[in-house]
Amino acid sequence: MRHEQRLRTRTPESRAFAERVQLVMTLASRLNALPFDDLDARRELLAEIFGSPIPDSLSILPPFYCDYGLGASFGDRVFINQGCFFLDFGGITIGDRVLIGPRVTLSTAGHPVDPDERYDFITHAPIVIEDDVWIGAAATITPGVTVGRGSVVGAGAVVARDIPPLSVVTGTSVVERTRLKPTP
């Protein structure tokens, strides 16, 4: 994964990360239990989740799920539909006039592919969604990806590499990248 960084598990830093995740998941649970028309309380909880006031033009429809909160930033006139998941430890930057469909997952974190390292690190890399992008329902954007200005990501697509500006991408596929060594 491009720009990958690693957080070693079982350290003070990873414990602080885990504590933040617990807090944000509690806040998201409260957000998702609010009456739909309680916009003021929704904005307050979103500001707590993201660690700062959110833009007036940002619209996030619940339910919404986030695991860290401090890694996300939003441009003007961003719309995020229901049921989205933001795993933002690696950083999510969303430009202006971005539309995100229902059940979209933006995941900036994971684990090493090597089984011997898998439990020892959390890997993470930023996602950048440039201006005027539309991400269709149930698409997944993986760590380290940039979606170029004006592009469209079709419903259900799994995006594991950068998308050039003004592109339309669709589909999913399974491509074997490498074979792992057997574990003894």
Side-chain angles (χ1 to χ4, degrees), residues 85 87 92 100 104-109 125-129 133-136 138-147 153-154 157-163 169:
F85 291 82
L87 291 91
I92 296 172
I100 298 179
V104 166
T105 298
L106 304 179
S107 180
T108 67
I127 292 173
V128 176
I129 311 295
V133 167
W134 174 21
I135 301 175
T140 298
I141 312 295
T142 63
V145 167
T146 295
V147 180
V153 175
V158 176
V159 180
R161 60 180 183 212
D162 290 351
I163 298 171
V169 298

Side-chain angles (χ1 to χ4, degrees), residues 14-167:
S14 67
R15 281 189 286 285
F17 167 71
E19 289 170 8
R20 175 69 190 173
V21 168
Q22 288 180 340
L23 171 64
V24 170
M25 291 178 79
T26 298
L27 293 170
S29 154
R30 289 179 33 210
L31 171 77
N32 295 332
L34 288 173
F36 184 76
D37 60 354
D38 193 347
L39 300 178
D40 291 336
R42 189 185 320 166
R43 291 188 76 73
E44 276 183 39
L45 281 169
L46 287 168
E48 281 188 69
I49 288 169
F50 296 122
S52 63
I54 60 172
D56 289 338
S57 62
L58 174 63
S59 180
I60 298 178
L61 301 185
F64 175 75
Y65 306 94
C66 187
D67 73 340
Y68 186 66
L70 301 178
S73 65
F74 305 93
D76 290 328
R77 296 176 52 201
V78 171
F79 175 77
I80 300 168
N81 213 322
Q82 300 176 47
C84 290
F85 291 82
F86 282 25
L87 291 91
D88 68 312
F89 181 60
I92 296 172
T93 302
I94 298 176
D96 296 335
R97 299 169 306 282
V98 170
L99 302 171
I100 298 179
R103 294 184 23 235
V104 166
T105 298
L106 304 179
S107 180
T108 67
H111 297 277
V113 172
D114 183 342
D116 292 335
E117 297 182 321
R118 201 165 289 159
Y119 292 96
D120 296 330
F121 295 96
I122 296 170
T123 59
H124 54 97
I127 292 173
V128 176
I129 311 295
E130 294 182 348
D131 296 345
D132 301 308
V133 167
W134 174 21
I135 301 175
T140 298
I141 312 295
T142 63
V145 167
T146 295
V147 180
R149 176 187 57 79
S151 291
V152 175
V153 175
V158 176
V159 180
R161 60 180 183 212
D162 290 351
I163 298 171
L166 301 170
S167 298

